[in-house]
Amino acid sequence: MPPGKPLGLVAGEGHAPIYFVERLTGEGVPLVVVTFSDDQAQRLSAAGARVFRIRMGQFGRLLKILREHDVQEVTFLGKIEKPRALREALPDLRALILWKRLASRNDDAILRAVCQEFEKEGFRVVSPAEQLPELLTPEGVLTRRAPSREEWKDIRWGLSVARRIGELDIGQCVVVKERMVVAVEAMEGTDETIRRAGRYRRGAVVIKILKPTQDPRLDLPSAGAETIRVMREAGARVLALEAGKSLFFEQDEAIREADRAGISIVGVR
């Protein structure tokens, strides 16, 4: 990051952006944060950030805020609930032009187009892992319980399914059981995918990986303590994250939650 220049954070919902802000402000890194809801703006302000709240789709205003505050590098972090975004967006002319240009409107295609627009405006888009590399998922079994032989078979089989789904830019997460696909993430997000899987099969394996064609600076697969709580409710038994290519927040808390519930967490290549 350029010396003395603030880092721009485009923050979605969830705890991940709050954790990011707390860590970086604690290290004295100046931040300019733009987010899309009053509640999240309040939480981020309480974490120590300078926060601007805009409506989803106000792309021109977003760029103006970052330019006015001398931001040169921008990162993206947090959940954007696509159904809510489509329902509540108030797109400006810049956003409408971008939207109409898209051949595909799946997540990766949208983020790539947004990233290209930022770069045209002279911003450098960076991964949140550049600032906090310790958030990347380590390789290996992270919990007391390792997956069983059958669960490892499901992990290996599920990874191949997740890659195929990712190639189509559908989602990052699949839930499998006994080499059967129980649920595939689409517009609803990971937590709802896990809950839906729990209605059909208990004891399933949740797999979350970077899409094969995905820009690793954008929308890295992520999980945390809340993911484990959702898995416990849904009766899922294993979480497999792509090591080095996914973000694992609140690692100590998540592992404690998993150990109490008998859930296995693994980082896989």
Side-chain angles (χ1 to χ4, degrees):
M1 191 169 68
K5 301 290 185 182
L7 174 67
L9 170 63
V10 181
E13 296 297 311
H15 185 70
I18 299 165
Y19 178 89
F20 187 83
V21 166
E22 289 173 341
R23 286 292 309 277
L24 265 65
T25 54
E27 295 173 9
V29 177
L31 290 168
V32 174
V33 181
V34 182
T35 193
F36 307 101
S37 75
D38 291 332
D39 288 345
Q40 188 71 331
Q42 290 175 7
R43 288 188 285 264
L44 290 162
S45 294
R50 186 173 190 180
V51 181
F52 298 86
R53 195 274 202 203
I54 66 172
R55 290 285 295 271
M56 192 74 66
Q58 292 182 319
F59 192 41
R61 187 178 172 207
L62 168 58
L63 294 171
K64 182 180 179 184
I65 289 168
L66 297 176
R67 276 197 299 265
E68 285 178 346
H69 291 85
D70 208 19
V71 169
Q72 294 183 9
E73 293 188 346
V74 183
T75 193
F76 300 82
L77 189 60
K79 298 177 185 177
I80 300 293
E81 296 178 359
K82 199 169 182 182
R84 179 181 172 187
L86 292 171
R87 190 170 60 247
E88 298 180 2
L90 189 67
D92 58 19
L93 181 60
R94 185 75 180 261
L96 286 170
I97 292 170
L98 178 64
W99 185 255
K100 289 181 179 296
R101 233 179 27 231
L102 293 170
S104 164
R105 290 170 180 167
N106 283 333
D107 294 351
D108 195 34
I110 294 171
L111 285 170
R112 280 179 178 275
V114 169
C115 182
Q116 288 167 5
E117 291 299 307
F118 271 95
E119 289 172 336
K120 284 180 190 175
E121 294 291 330
F123 297 101
R124 177 173 175 255
V125 178
V126 299
S127 166
E130 281 196 26
Q131 295 294 326
L132 296 176
E134 66 271 23
L135 290 178
L136 291 170
T137 304
E139 187 172 7
V141 177
L142 308 179
T143 45
R144 285 199 297 263
R145 189 181 81 82
S148 67
R149 182 179 298 179
E150 287 301 306
E151 287 168 342
W152 274 116
K153 288 180 182 178
D154 275 346
I155 290 170
R156 287 190 289 271
W157 183 81
L159 284 168
S160 66
V161 174
R163 279 192 289 270
R164 295 296 297 275
I165 296 299
E167 286 168 0
L168 297 172
D169 190 15
I170 293 173
Q172 299 172 327
C173 175
V174 296
V175 184
V176 302
K177 172 74 173 174
E178 296 171 344
R179 270 80 75 210
M180 294 183 286
V181 175
V182 184
V184 173
E185 180 186 20
M187 194 180 286
E188 76 276 36
T190 300
D191 289 352
E192 289 304 314
T193 304
I194 295 170
R195 290 188 180 103
R196 178 158 45 88
R199 294 197 290 270
Y200 299 111
R201 294 301 301 269
R202 310 292 280 185
V205 173
V206 178
I207 297 161
K208 195 164 186 180
I209 68 168
L210 189 74
K211 298 172 187 173
T213 59
Q214 186 175 341
D215 187 329
R217 298 173 297 172
L218 306 169
D219 191 28
L220 282 174
S222 62
E226 181 60 22
T227 311
I228 301 304
R229 287 189 279 270
V230 173
M231 288 179 61
R232 185 187 63 220
E233 293 167 11
R237 294 280 289 165
V238 179
L239 173 62
L241 299 170
E242 188 167 9
K245 294 184 179 180
S246 62
L247 300 175
F248 187 16
F249 291 92
E250 309 153 313
Q251 293 186 21
D252 291 344
E253 182 184 352
I255 290 168
R256 283 196 301 270
E257 292 262 3
D259 284 338
R260 282 196 291 267
I263 292 171
S264 178
I265 305 174
V266 295
V268 293
R269 293 287 179 185

